[in-house]
Amino acid sequence: MRTVRDTDGARYLLVKRSSDATLVRDPETGAEQYLPNDELTEAEGVSALTVAASGVPESVRRVVTAAHTEDALGLLVELVDRGPLPVRDLLSAYDLCESDLHGLLAEFRAAGLIRERDAAGERGYEATETTREAVAALRG
């Protein structure tokens, strides 16, 4: 599959091309339509899979790519629902060893999904607005 742009710069996924028109899919809606060939140009250097993913809200894409397991996703959900939480509580409440927990927390911080925060007088973490939006979208 290839990526094309229309004269306004909108990106589409090329589905099928005929002599005078091209069937394209809008990555944001999934809707397909025919557009005249002379209104489309190849979008070189743009991955069709990246364009397909662009139809998913950015916050959800960030959570999905950072949370590789259900435990990781669950930790983010808990921080949205219950946070901010002290690290001590995270260690005692969930079946994660210390190194696994700290590894996840480091990945989430690097992805901008959580931030360090004082929680009950201890070092803790809370979900960012990006994470809150993503979890709301996933639940919806």
Side-chain angles (χ1 to χ4, degrees):
M1 186 163 285
R2 295 184 309 211
T3 304
V4 294
R5 293 183 195 273
D6 68 11
T7 53
D8 294 328
R11 296 186 304 188
Y12 298 95
L13 297 168
L14 188 149
V15 177
K16 179 171 58 172
R17 179 169 273 167
S18 68
S19 60
D20 59 336
T22 299
L23 180 62
V24 296
R25 182 178 321 115
D26 183 333
E28 290 187 27
T29 65
E32 293 183 354
Q33 64 179 326
Y34 281 95
L35 295 176
N37 287 340
D38 60 355
E39 292 183 12
L40 298 173
T41 57
E42 293 282 329
E44 295 189 26
V46 180
S47 162
L49 294 175
T50 299
V51 172
S54 72
V56 174
E58 191 278 331
S59 61
V60 174
R61 289 194 316 267
R62 194 179 308 179
V63 164
V64 167
T65 57
H68 303 287
T69 65
E70 287 185 7
D71 282 346
L73 179 58
L75 180 58
L76 287 173
V77 169
E78 284 292 284
L79 287 169
V80 166
D81 292 347
R82 298 182 50 222
L85 293 172
V87 172
R88 183 187 326 245
D89 289 0
L90 294 173
L91 283 168
S92 66
Y94 308 113
D95 290 334
L96 293 171
C97 70
E98 188 171 352
S99 63
D100 288 346
L101 174 65
H102 287 294
L104 286 173
L105 294 172
E107 286 184 47
F108 294 159
R109 282 184 69 192
L113 298 174
I114 63 171
R115 66 179 143 258
E116 195 169 318
R117 170 138 184 232
D118 185 341
E122 299 179 35
R123 183 172 61 99
Y125 291 93
E126 71 178 348
T128 62
E129 187 58 34
T130 297
T131 305
R132 292 180 205 296
E133 290 173 12
V135 169
L138 289 167
R139 285 178 164 161

